[in-house]
Amino acid sequence: MTQPLGTVMLDIEGTQLGDEERRLLERPEVGGVILFARNTRDAEQVRRLTREIRELRPDMLLAIDQEGGRVQRLREGVTRLPSMAALAAGYADAPDEVRLRVHEAGWLLGMEMAACGFDVTFAPVLDVDDQRSPAIGDRSFSADPAVVAALGDAFIEGLHEAGMVAVGKHFPGHGGVTLDSHHALPEDSRPLSVLREHDLVPFKALSGKLDAMMPAHVVYTAFDTRPAGFSPSWLGMLREEMAFKGVVFSDDLSMAGAHVAGTPAARAEAAWSAGCDMVLVCNDRAAALEIVDAAAGRTSKRLGKLRYGRARPQLETLPALARWRRAHARLEALSETPAS
């Protein structure tokens, strides 16, 4: 039976745990840790750090933002992944070849992150790139929703083949706004009918394959006055209309786009009430402590399903796999080539 986990995921300061962090991570409300670039010198050091956390809390979910391109927190000792736009280059002329390339990228990413000790890498990005959003851009596979859905599917299959879960973001789509929700609260005024025919297409198509989703800190004014991550209407659509049965993560509650909901505890309460299973709070320890206190008594059984369930691959033996060597060489070469 899946054991329930606490509903807060937070960050740590450095490349190993401090005494105060150890005490914080022992609190049952904390169900996960996310690592950032400051926590990662190289793959071997990250593996030691994830082991250190697991010795303290074997049940803890360990996560990282490792998409490829500009969002790649761990860079030393693992493959330099190209952006999703670079992976998708040439799809119109050779769809089968590009789909295989994307599948292998998902597989390689899953194998490397599993070897480093992670359960979750927050990928793939399923936003449609309308060339408006500074937060998305080449993080997206395409400006065509059908291409995003097709390549997102291939990436998910690759992750799953490696035993890694897939997290789709940023539901229902961050590509149609000009502001970055890290720094402001974007508003998207397009009608719901347009969102259904465009931004929502990949999320709906892949809802049955995704293990988790992350909603955007964006207000879609034609549907709700609240950002999607605080909206029971949006997350209700996800659960009911799209029949999504996986985990819903909030995006980072320290981002400017989340501040509309009030204090850190109020933001967390808004996310939980809307239907989020786990909230992320990063780069703000005072806010994290407030949210951990607010999470007393909250648990989720869904979260335990995200733990990596296989014998983990070993970093030092991955290069012995001919498949890894081929994928590694192709992806490293592609990461040095601008997307066309």
Side-chain angles (χ1 to χ4, degrees), residues 190-229:
R190 291 174 296 166
L192 180 58
S193 59
V194 173
L195 296 173
R196 285 187 184 279
E197 294 169 2
H198 193 68
D199 300 66
L200 278 163
V201 168
F203 296 99
K204 185 173 183 178
L206 300 173
S207 63
K209 284 193 168 185
L210 287 162
D211 306 280
M213 287 223 206
M214 177 179 284
H217 290 318
V218 175
V219 175
Y220 303 85
T221 55
F223 188 64
D224 198 338
T225 59
R226 295 163 290 193

Side-chain angles (χ1 to χ4, degrees), residues 76-305:
E76 298 298 323
V78 295
T79 304
R80 289 175 297 162
L81 294 170
S83 67
M84 297 302 100
L87 277 176
Y91 182 81
D93 297 321
D96 292 341
E97 178 183 327
V98 171
R99 184 181 169 91
L100 177 61
R101 178 201 300 159
V102 172
H103 178 104
E104 292 300 276
W107 173 81
L108 180 141
L109 173 64
M111 292 290 283
E112 291 186 344
M113 293 305 98
C116 289
F118 293 106
D119 302 292
V120 177
T121 180
F122 285 109
V125 169
L126 297 177
D127 303 288
V128 180
D129 178 27
D130 286 344
Q131 299 184 337
R132 280 187 276 185
S133 176
I136 304 303
D138 66 357
R139 295 169 68 192
S140 168
F141 286 112
S142 176
D144 183 336
V147 174
V148 175
L151 295 183
D153 181 68
F155 197 87
I156 292 165
E157 288 182 354
L159 284 171
H160 284 172
E161 190 180 353
M164 184 67 65
V165 298
V167 184
K169 57 187 187 184
H170 306 82
F171 175 83
H174 201 308
V177 293
T178 57
L179 297 178
D180 184 340
S181 55
H182 288 87
H183 309 297
L185 177 59
E187 292 189 358
D188 190 329
S189 61
R190 291 174 296 166
L192 180 58
S193 59
V194 173
L195 296 173
R196 285 187 184 279
E197 294 169 2
H198 193 68
D199 300 66
L200 278 163
V201 168
F203 296 99
K204 185 173 183 178
L206 300 173
S207 63
K209 284 193 168 185
L210 287 162
D211 306 280
M213 287 223 206
M214 177 179 284
H217 290 318
V218 175
V219 175
Y220 303 85
T221 55
F223 188 64
D224 198 338
T225 59
R226 295 163 290 193
F230 299 146
S231 169
S233 299
W234 276 117
L235 299 189
M237 176 192 290
L238 185 60
R239 293 290 188 202
E240 295 163 21
E241 182 178 321
M242 298 186 181
F244 178 65
K245 300 186 185 305
V247 168
V248 178
F249 287 99
S250 82
D251 207 343
D252 181 7
L253 296 182
S254 297
M255 290 165 57
H259 285 211
V260 67
T263 66
R267 293 172 222 158
E269 292 286 355
W272 290 318
S273 296
C276 290
D277 299 287
M278 176 170 267
V279 299
L280 275 71
V281 54
C282 311
N283 303 308
D284 187 339
R285 180 57 83 228
L289 293 171
E290 183 179 328
I291 289 173
V292 169
D293 287 341
R298 289 185 180 271
T299 60
S300 171
K301 287 187 177 180
R302 283 196 189 103
L303 295 168
K305 297 177 182 178

